[in-house]
Amino acid sequence: MNSIIEAAQAKRAAPADAQAASPLTLHLLQPQDSARWDAFVRACPDATFFHLSGWQKVIEQAFGIKTWFYYVEQDGQIQGVLPLAEIKSRLFGHSLGAMPFCVYGGPAATNDAARPLLDAAAHELAQKLGVGHLEYRGMQRFHPEDAAWHTKELYVTFRKAISADHEENLNAIPRKQRAMVRKGIKLGLRGEVDDNVDRMFEAYANSVHRLGTPVFPKKYFALLQKTFGDECEVRTIVTDKGELVGSVLSFFWRDEVVPYYGGGMDIARNVAGNDFMYWNLMEAAANRGCRLFDFGRSKLGTGAYDFKKNWGFTAQHLPYEYKLYGAQALPDNNPLNPKYQLFIKMWKKLPLPLANFMGPYIVRNLG
């Protein structure tokens, strides 16, 4: 990486004038710099919750995945950041890119001159590792005019403004979906905030097993809660008798709430548990001062996509970018891909304890 740093320093060497700015330099994040990194991320308009330094510890400790957190500095001030991780799997390919399991990620900078340095670092690392492709994830393209970067339509996100007025938010939900929310209210469902992930994991594991998807390790959710503190909430929905209905782990970022991992027990379908769960979260988030509800990423053509549309949210295409290296085609790690359908059908038939045991060994390669 010294070649990049030296090139940047040579290109931007300061003149003899003492008032001139220092050159931009590239660095890898060290533990003692995490606070500076996070202060930059919180202030940078381009940055997201998924750029925070805590993701490095979470991803490495939960999955054993190698990460590189690059930043560009000038005069002791961070000017841009780029978190990267390597996924290497015989089944799902070899890639470098945004943090695995994070919906957003790519270069975030306040200085346009920092972006080429971050791109160059990613390019050099991708070549060194021999990956198939490099991937950036954003709500807008990072390189719209560069033909070397490709995109495809697979993911969308659902984001909508909310107000401090609960009645206004409820009335903004389409009539049929609003009726489901009212059903949960009438049945006496209530939300509770948990200081652990036990009930959340039970509901989540139950849901993904029904869908034929490998489960994340419980350790992962515990690390998220521990690492991000008040910015990570576990909200559990129970009946008036205390029976577990569902649970959702959400992130709070600036004035946004991001329900990220959730699931429901079998009873949820009968009591409109999932509908009430997201409404209960919306109420709590509005009380907390949130003014934007980010319903998160979904794949086109899935049940999750339809559920979010029914809430009156408009789908926004996520133009993820891919730069090919060893690969000849864009990745297609999609449950709708026909080659994964047999696996999904088989996974649904596994006993839940066995699926929970095996899932973490598989899911770490999905990213």
Side-chain angles (χ1 to χ4, degrees):
M1 206 53 61
N2 288 338
S3 60
I4 297 176
I5 298 173
E6 291 167 0
Q9 291 173 333
K11 184 177 181 180
R12 302 185 179 280
D17 184 357
Q19 301 301 314
S22 300
L24 293 169
T25 56
L26 180 75
H27 308 269
L28 278 171
L29 178 64
Q30 302 300 319
Q32 64 270 21
D33 294 316
S34 294
R36 289 201 307 132
W37 173 293
D38 287 342
F40 171 81
V41 168
R42 295 185 190 285
C44 177
D46 293 343
T48 71
F49 182 85
F50 305 97
H51 286 87
L52 290 171
S53 66
W55 284 99
Q56 184 168 46
K57 178 175 70 173
V58 168
I59 295 300
E60 290 189 350
Q61 291 186 9
F63 303 102
I65 291 173
K66 176 66 176 174
T67 66
W68 294 260
F69 275 47
Y70 291 110
Y71 69 93
V72 170
E73 186 177 62
Q74 184 179 47
D75 293 325
Q77 300 296 316
I78 294 179
Q79 305 291 315
V81 299
L82 176 60
L84 295 172
E86 179 189 23
I87 297 289
K88 192 171 186 179
S89 165
R90 289 184 179 180
L91 183 60
F92 301 109
H94 187 191
S95 66
L96 176 70
M99 286 300 97
F101 321 117
C102 292
V103 295
Y104 308 129
T110 53
N111 183 338
D112 287 340
R115 300 177 195 278
L117 288 184
L118 295 170
D119 278 344
H123 173 73
E124 187 169 308
L125 182 60
Q127 290 183 312
K128 179 181 177 181
L129 296 175
V131 301
H133 70 273
L134 172 65
E135 178 183 5
Y136 289 171
R137 299 173 179 176
M139 283 180 273
Q140 290 85 34
R141 294 201 61 178
F142 297 96
H143 308 88
E145 307 300 327
D146 189 341
W149 288 89
H150 309 274
T151 189
K152 65 176 182 177
E153 291 200 12
L154 174 60
Y155 294 108
V156 297
T157 190
F158 294 85
R159 293 161 59 84
K160 186 177 181 180
I162 59 176
S163 81
D165 186 327
H166 298 319
E167 195 64 26
E168 182 180 338
N169 290 331
L170 186 61
N171 289 333
I173 302 172
R175 182 177 57 83
K176 290 184 178 180
Q177 193 65 41
R178 187 166 64 245
M180 297 297 288
V181 172
R182 292 193 186 279
K183 178 180 178 180
I185 295 173
K186 290 178 180 178
L187 289 173
L189 300 185
R190 67 176 188 271
E192 301 174 347
V193 176
D194 292 349
D195 62 2
N196 60 71
V197 299
D198 293 346
R199 294 193 294 181
M200 180 267 157
F201 182 77
E202 182 180 354
Y204 169 78
N206 185 277
S207 284
V208 296
H209 184 245
R210 289 199 307 267
L211 295 172
T213 304
V215 70
F216 287 107
K218 188 176 181 180
K219 176 183 178 181
Y220 171 52
F221 301 115
L223 277 168
L224 288 173
Q225 189 179 49
K226 179 180 179 181
T227 300
F228 296 114
D230 290 341
E231 291 178 300
C232 178
E233 180 196 82
V234 174
R235 178 168 294 270
T236 297
I237 306 303
V238 297
T239 66
D240 56 355
K241 297 179 181 179
E243 183 179 0
L244 175 61
V245 175
S247 188
V248 58
L249 183 151
S250 305
F251 300 129
F252 288 89
W253 169 250
R254 296 172 179 159
D255 66 343
E256 304 177 18
V257 60
V258 188
Y260 209 67
Y261 293 111
M265 305 300 290
D266 293 342
I267 190 179
R269 185 185 297 268
N270 297 327
V271 298
N274 289 328
D275 310 275
F276 176 83
M277 179 169 69
Y278 291 112
W279 166 248
N280 185 254
L281 173 63
M282 188 179 290
E283 279 189 305
N287 289 340
R288 185 166 167 160
C290 293
R291 294 297 174 261
L292 193 144
F293 194 94
D294 186 333
F295 228 147
R297 182 182 78 179
S298 292
K299 296 182 180 73
L300 293 167
T302 63
Y305 173 92
D306 293 336
F307 178 79
K308 294 169 186 178
K309 280 194 67 177
N310 289 342
W311 275 72
F313 284 61
T314 300
Q316 175 187 340
H317 174 54
L318 289 175
Y320 289 177
E321 287 189 338
Y322 307 88
K323 189 173 186 180
L324 300 182
Y325 289 87
Q328 301 299 312
L330 298 182
D332 191 20
N333 296 338
N334 178 1
L336 299 179
N337 185 334
K339 75 176 185 178
Y340 299 131
Q341 290 303 304
L342 179 59
F343 172 84
I344 291 172
K345 291 178 181 178
M346 292 175 58
W347 197 264
K348 290 179 180 180
K349 295 180 180 179
L350 290 177
L352 182 59
L354 180 59
N356 286 350
F357 174 77
M358 295 175 57
Y361 295 99
I362 299 173
V363 76
R364 69 177 302 277
N365 297 312
L366 293 174

